[in-house]
Amino acid sequence: MSDPATRLADIRARIEAAAKVAQRKAAEITLVAVSKTHAAEAIEPLILAGQTVFGENRVQEAAAKWPALREAHPGIALHLVGQLQSNKAEEAVALFDCMHSLDRPSLVAALARAMDKAGRQVPCFVQVNIGAEEQKGGCAIGDTPALLAEARAAGIPVAGLMCVPPLDTEPAPYFALLDKIAADNGLSGLSMGMSEDFETAIMLGATHVRVGSALFGPRA
Ligand SMILES: *Cc1c(COP(=O)(O)O)cnc(C)c1O
């Protein structure tokens, strides 16, 4: 595989091209570089190449890797893209600048408490189980308005909606559906699209794309 700076430039060019097709500005789209399972030595070259927003899916792993990296490289924003257990809410609020997996009332309560205690408001995307898959995280489509209302009532800044479409299916209908649910609920933030489908997601309105393997290479 090519070097990290070249891969980053390639992904940025593809974001730019997809935005252009959709008559959008690439600057409206945040590239979240998902660095889960990758060591600091793999992450640092991307930071040096100018990437500032990173994503991790586990609190423990992020807590082990990122404090030192952030001390060495100020100005990084760290996003949580994976499921969060309520008992890790305080740690997550201290560590992350944005969360993409708010998906149930108990987590709204835990995060609101943790944010109040820390005096730190962390924007959260509400994750929607867009394919109604039994094993998957995310709140049911029908429960989304109520969960959004709970989050707002609890004082959690709602960044928008997030989804992970079912594997091995055409993702576009799911992205379009998430966009519609967001619009119906007055939200403009859309966290959708990964290495295999971020261009489609951008054409359907993504404001945040979460790209891992296309930037870092395959995970072990
Ligand atoms: C791992 C992960 C990604 C990145 O996946 P790639 O296919 O490697 O780009 C995006 N979103 C979530 C929620 C993830 O867990």
Side-chain angles (χ1 to χ4, degrees):
M1 239 183 150
S2 53
D3 66 285
T6 306
R7 290 200 291 267
L8 178 61
D10 173 59
I11 298 295
R12 291 210 168 280
R14 288 169 60 187
I15 289 173
E16 189 96 32
K20 196 168 174 196
V21 170
Q23 305 205 358
R24 302 180 59 203
K25 293 192 176 68
E28 293 168 10
I29 296 144
T30 299
L31 170 62
V32 181
V34 180
S35 50
K36 66 189 186 200
T37 77
H38 296 287
E41 299 75 60
I43 296 170
E44 224 154 12
L46 282 187
I47 298 175
L48 296 174
Q51 178 64 23
T52 56
V53 183
F54 288 84
E56 291 283 343
N57 73 332
R58 301 178 64 167
V59 175
Q60 243 47 56
E61 184 182 342
K65 264 169 24 187
W66 279 97
L69 272 169
R70 292 176 113 174
E71 186 150 316
H73 306 280
I76 299 290
L78 195 58
H79 290 213
L80 177 67
V81 300
Q83 283 189 31
L84 178 61
Q85 292 169 271
S86 295
N87 63 7
K88 299 218 170 94
E90 280 192 27
E91 207 178 345
V93 164
L95 201 53
F96 293 99
D97 303 294
C98 181
M99 305 193 201
H100 293 238
S101 50
L102 178 54
D103 65 354
R104 57 193 189 277
S106 59
L107 189 54
V108 167
L111 281 174
R113 255 197 319 274
M115 288 183 200
D116 279 347
K117 191 169 166 193
R120 178 176 151 77
Q121 297 303 112
V122 180
C124 293
F125 287 88
V126 165
Q127 181 176 354
V128 180
N129 186 353
I130 201 73
E133 295 174 280
E134 206 142 290
Q135 76 288 2
K136 215 167 228 168
C139 86
I141 291 171
D143 295 341
T144 302
L147 188 63
L148 285 168
E150 280 189 51
R152 287 172 174 141
I156 295 177
V158 175
L161 300 181
M162 177 273 207
C163 77
V164 181
L167 271 179
D168 303 321
T169 55
E170 167 57 49
Y174 298 99
F175 293 152
L177 180 56
L178 194 72
D179 178 50
K180 180 181 184 302
I181 299 167
D184 287 349
N185 287 280
L187 295 165
S188 53
L190 283 175
S191 169
M192 57 188 198
M194 321 202 310
S195 291
E196 296 301 318
D197 54 21
F198 67 90
E199 287 144 312
T200 304
I202 287 167
M203 292 177 204
L204 291 164
T207 59
H208 292 67
V209 292
R210 310 177 310 268
V211 178
S213 41
L215 280 170
F216 289 97
R219 288 179 288 274

